[in-house]
Amino acid sequence: MPALQLTPWARVRQEDFGLLFYNARNTRLTFVKSGKRVLPQRSGLEAHAIEWHGPGDGGTQWRRLMGTLVAKGLAEAPLLPTETPSPTPCPPAPHPCTETKDMPAKGVETTSYLRAPVNVTWEITNRCDLHCRHCLSAELRARGGPELDLAQCEAVLDHLAEVGVFQLNFGGGEPFLRPDFPTILTLARSRGFTSCVSTNGLALTPSVVDELVQIQPVYLQVSLDGATARTNDAIRGAGSFERIMAAIRLLSQRSYPDFSINTVVTRANFMDIPDLLRLAEDYGARSRLSRFRPSGGARECWEELRLSRDLMERLSELLSARPDIKTGDSFFAISADDRRHLGLNMCGAAKMTCSIAPDGSIYPCAFLTEARFLAGHVLDDGSLQRAWRSAPVLGELRERDINSCRACSRFSLCHGGCPAVAYFMTSELGYADPECLQPAASRPATPRAT
């Protein structure tokens, strides 16, 4: 039986249940429950083909799998003896920084946990040239400490590639304040990673943008927290609006292949959302809305800026009406059933993702970086792989079970919501997301017995 060749943008790795495929063009995942009947020819991100290893030639099972993978853009159509090769069409690419899963939650439950994260958020530096009121990384920046140097970053990239991580989401601080950051992106690209970068845009110059185009694909997410200077600057600092807009205009003028404008939705900028959506369209950018969560600097302004229940309901209605607005997994606790196909139905911390701090510390996600959530360090023996498999705090999040939510009609949409919001509002992981729009689930649940 000849091997089935994968498309250039397809990635695959072996899991206990079978194969996990990642489409680098749109970041969708495909779970194939094949056991060990189908295996990659090579391991890690270097696998370019899969082969049948089951009994016989696989027959209908193998042909059905080939058809599915070809239809999803993950494999090249097998040639019949009389056919001549033709290039596989490349589908349009949605923004990879947003939708990081494309399967029902039960896809993850086929095994206790994946062998490695699907994606890793890497806060590459503490340095920043803004002082945003809701800064996610305020606590990490306050702690200071040394950052991983270039050689250490390269060693981490090698390890992440070896264990089969597909996507890197770089943040900070401001990543472009690291002089060697373009080199890190180049090294990531050479190892087959899909790279996404969250930036405030202030360090983007024509030469930097031109360099990024050469490294492509590098997907940029530019942060803007208001459609006017008055709204944005009240959150991100005086004068920041015009500087961010200069970066957006530069990306638009350069016809940058793919970038989005990200807004953390607060009470202060909620009414700006329609204008922000139009602004993104005018500059050829995608729109992304992120949830305001009480971690980092946001704790100090939480009561002032958090959305009321009425605004949450209006936001839910907007997201239902505009499926083109990207949210990542920020709003699965308020998303309606009509966004289910986007895969936004569960927290991925410790199940599909984890976070690396500037000093190399490993946490479940970028919103849970207190000492209580430290899972390990990338420079330890065994590094991220050992932490992923054995860190108690990651196991705690995987086993998180909100009993009061089980009977909720929305359980399959959110699985208890965001544990970071629950933790920072109740000091416990065993509570339901306090901002859930379902009345029964919005009340604190009894912490699960341990």
Side-chain angles (χ1 to χ4, degrees):
M1 174 70 64
L4 181 64
Q5 298 298 314
L6 303 181
T7 56
W9 51 87
R11 307 287 185 266
V12 63
R13 75 181 192 214
Q14 187 73 32
E15 294 286 348
D16 292 341
F17 57 79
L19 298 180
L20 175 60
F21 287 88
Y22 171 88
N23 189 329
R25 296 286 302 176
N26 58 24
T27 72
R28 305 279 185 182
L29 297 179
T30 298
F31 288 76
V32 176
K33 298 179 183 180
S34 57
K36 296 184 178 181
R37 297 189 301 275
V38 182
L39 299 175
Q41 279 190 332
R42 301 175 69 180
S43 61
L45 299 181
E46 297 181 348
H48 301 297
I50 58 173
E51 296 177 313
W52 177 261
H53 284 256
D57 62 4
T60 302
Q61 284 182 307
W62 179 240
R63 289 192 295 272
R64 184 184 298 119
L65 175 59
M66 287 193 295
T68 298
L69 296 180
V70 170
K72 289 178 175 289
L74 295 168
E76 306 283 0
L79 296 178
L80 298 176
T82 58
E83 292 181 323
T84 56
S86 59
T88 301
C90 185
H95 199 292
C97 291
T98 55
E99 316 299 347
T100 58
K101 47 189 182 293
D102 183 33
M103 69 293 176
K106 64 182 179 182
V108 178
E109 295 169 1
T110 56
T111 184
S112 56
Y113 57 90
L114 299 178
R115 292 186 175 184
V118 169
N119 61 69
V120 170
T121 295
W122 192 345
E123 311 291 359
I124 201 73
T125 182
N126 282 316
R127 287 167 276 184
C128 193
D129 41 8
L130 289 180
H131 296 279
C132 304
R133 296 185 64 197
H134 55 28
C135 178
L136 166 65
S137 304
E139 292 177 351
L140 289 177
R141 292 171 60 192
R143 291 178 212 164
E147 298 174 358
L148 299 179
D149 61 29
L150 181 59
Q152 292 169 327
C153 287
E154 185 169 10
V156 172
L157 289 170
D158 286 337
H159 176 67
L160 297 181
E162 180 183 357
V163 301
V165 172
F166 296 128
Q167 178 177 315
L168 301 176
N169 300 329
F170 290 102
E174 170 50 48
F176 289 103
L177 290 184
R178 272 192 73 135
D180 58 2
F181 186 54
T183 301
I184 293 172
L185 288 175
T186 300
L187 293 171
R189 179 71 182 94
S190 70
R191 286 153 176 77
F193 293 110
T194 296
S195 292
C196 306
V197 182
S198 179
T199 176
N200 62 31
L202 272 58
L204 295 181
T205 64
S207 61
V208 169
V209 173
D210 290 344
E211 188 171 12
L212 293 176
V213 171
Q214 296 301 313
I215 303 173
Q216 279 296 309
V218 176
Y219 300 92
L220 293 180
Q221 176 182 299
V222 182
S223 297
L224 181 68
D225 283 324
T228 66
R230 179 178 180 181
T231 305
N232 176 85
D233 291 5
I235 298 173
R236 305 189 70 83
S240 60
F241 178 80
E242 291 302 331
R243 298 173 70 189
I244 296 168
M245 287 304 303
I248 291 172
R249 284 191 289 268
L250 173 62
L251 292 169
S252 180
Q253 291 165 0
R254 285 289 203 274
S255 298
Y256 193 82
D258 204 319
F259 75 101
S260 65
I261 296 174
N262 180 71
T263 300
V264 177
V265 183
T266 65
R267 190 178 306 174
N269 61 24
F270 185 87
M271 300 307 295
D272 279 25
I273 291 178
D275 290 334
L276 284 163
L277 298 180
R278 284 190 288 270
L279 185 151
E281 292 174 358
D282 290 344
Y283 287 98
R286 302 178 189 274
S287 294
R288 187 178 192 272
L289 301 180
S290 291
R291 185 176 177 184
F292 179 55
R293 292 181 253 204
S295 56
R299 294 195 207 183
E300 303 300 320
C301 53
W302 172 246
E303 292 302 331
E304 174 190 351
L305 297 179
R306 66 179 294 194
L307 296 182
S308 65
R309 183 177 180 84
D310 175 66
L311 292 182
M312 276 285 196
E313 290 173 345
R314 291 167 62 182
L315 180 59
S316 180
E317 293 172 358
L318 171 66
L319 294 176
S320 292
R322 292 287 303 269
D324 58 305
I325 297 174
K326 306 302 181 184
T327 64
D329 64 0
S330 296
F331 290 111
F332 50 77
I334 71 168
S335 295
D337 187 68
D338 49 20
R339 287 180 70 92
R340 178 192 291 268
H341 70 284
L342 297 178
L344 313 178
N345 66 348
M346 64 181 297
C347 170
K351 304 178 187 74
M352 298 178 63
T353 187
C354 64
S355 178
I356 300 175
D359 68 353
S361 297
I362 302 168
Y363 297 96
C365 86
F367 291 92
L368 293 171
T369 57
E370 290 192 343
R372 176 228 194 289
F373 296 104
L374 180 64
H377 195 283
V378 293
L379 299 183
D380 291 342
D381 180 40
S383 162
L384 183 137
Q385 181 77 332
R386 185 175 70 171
W388 183 259
R389 291 180 174 178
S390 60
V393 68
L394 300 188
E396 182 182 0
L397 280 161
R398 291 175 188 133
E399 296 169 3
R400 178 175 178 260
D401 187 7
I402 312 302
N403 292 328
S404 66
C405 293
R406 282 282 177 181
C408 176
S409 61
R410 285 179 44 84
F411 181 72
S412 64
L413 291 174
C414 75
H415 292 79
C418 176
V421 176
Y423 177 77
F424 288 117
M425 293 183 69
T426 69
S427 299
E428 296 285 349
L429 284 177
Y431 285 97
D433 189 326
E435 292 194 316
C436 177
L437 293 182
Q438 193 76 2
S442 65
R443 297 192 296 270
T446 303
R448 191 172 70 86
T450 57

